[in-house]
Amino acid sequence: MKIRKQTYSLDQYLKLMKAETIRTDQDCQRLSGQWNANMVNELIATVLTDNYIPPVILGEETVNGITRQWIIDGLQRSSSLSLFRYANTKITKNLDEYMVTYQRKILDENGNPRRDAHGEILWENVEYDIRNKTYSQLPEELKDRFDGYQIEAAIHQDCDAMNISKLVRKYN
């Protein structure tokens, strides 16, 4: 079985899940929603601070010329990120590191970027408390960071339903 590596933006990956191009309902896979709030909080904070998350593992199956991908390992991570992005899930107050630093443009009274004497845009570092926030409550800069986060996938190619079930049992 050949394995291909692919990197998605988190926005792209979650849209593929939402469209069911990447399937979450493989019959041997345990159900999503198994993580507690603290685990979800830490995962979201990891994304917002651009730290490392292990790759998800997908199985690729082609039936009658139609290719589908199934989550083999990483369903809890994937579903937790999807709930935060699309279902208004809130980061709770129980979080070890809740201040996220990001850069933003300094704006003038008209909302235009301020510039220095050389015409360069002025920037500032901002700390933002992510506790009790949903995706929609994040500043645009942190939404962009979340959506642009690079998630790696290892894709087992040329699988059939039996191979995928076997891989789910093996990784779990």
Side-chain angles (χ1 to χ4, degrees):
M1 199 175 316
K2 209 168 145 184
I3 297 175
R4 177 178 88 243
K5 292 182 180 181
Q6 185 163 342
T7 303
Y8 299 95
S9 70
L10 188 50
D11 181 56
Q12 178 188 24
Y13 177 76
L14 295 177
K15 282 179 179 173
L16 290 170
M17 278 180 56
K18 192 174 182 182
E20 296 185 40
T21 303
I22 295 177
R23 301 284 300 268
T24 62
D25 58 342
Q26 201 282 333
D27 55 352
C28 289
Q29 182 68 265
R30 63 186 167 159
L31 298 175
S32 61
Q34 303 297 308
W35 279 12
N36 65 40
N38 290 343
M39 296 164 86
V40 174
N41 289 344
E42 295 301 332
L43 175 66
I44 295 166
T46 298
V47 169
L48 291 175
T49 56
D50 202 28
N51 284 306
Y52 179 75
I53 294 174
V56 294
I57 299 170
L58 306 176
E60 194 169 72
E61 172 187 37
T62 302
V63 177
N64 298 325
I66 304 299
T67 301
R68 300 185 291 186
Q69 293 180 331
W70 302 85
I71 295 178
I72 290 173
D73 185 62
L75 179 61
Q76 301 309 312
R77 286 172 279 160
S78 300
S79 59
S80 296
L81 293 166
S82 183
L83 287 171
F84 179 70
R85 178 64 177 86
Y86 296 117
N88 226 22
T89 298
K90 186 181 283 194
I91 300 168
T92 69
K93 64 180 180 174
N94 298 324
L95 194 61
D96 289 338
E97 295 179 26
Y98 52 86
M99 297 303 289
V100 175
T101 302
Y102 67 95
Q103 293 182 335
R104 73 175 174 201
K105 295 174 184 174
I106 299 174
L107 304 177
D108 65 18
E109 58 279 352
N110 298 320
N112 298 315
R114 289 185 47 207
R115 297 181 181 273
D116 66 14
H118 304 288
E120 296 293 324
I121 293 175
L122 297 173
W123 295 83
E124 63 184 344
N125 286 320
V126 179
E127 282 197 334
Y128 186 78
D129 185 344
I130 61 172
R131 292 176 294 184
N132 296 312
K133 300 294 190 297
T134 62
Y135 174 87
S136 63
Q137 293 172 313
L138 296 176
E140 289 303 315
E141 294 87 353
L142 290 182
K143 288 179 186 176
D144 290 345
R145 185 181 291 177
F146 183 89
D147 291 341
Y149 183 85
Q150 299 293 291
I151 190 161
E152 297 174 3
I155 302 168
H156 289 266
Q157 297 176 281
D158 304 318
C159 293
D160 60 21
M162 194 169 84
N163 295 131
I164 290 172
S165 294
K166 184 188 261 184
L167 287 168
V168 169
R169 290 191 304 276
K170 176 181 173 183
Y171 281 102
N172 289 301

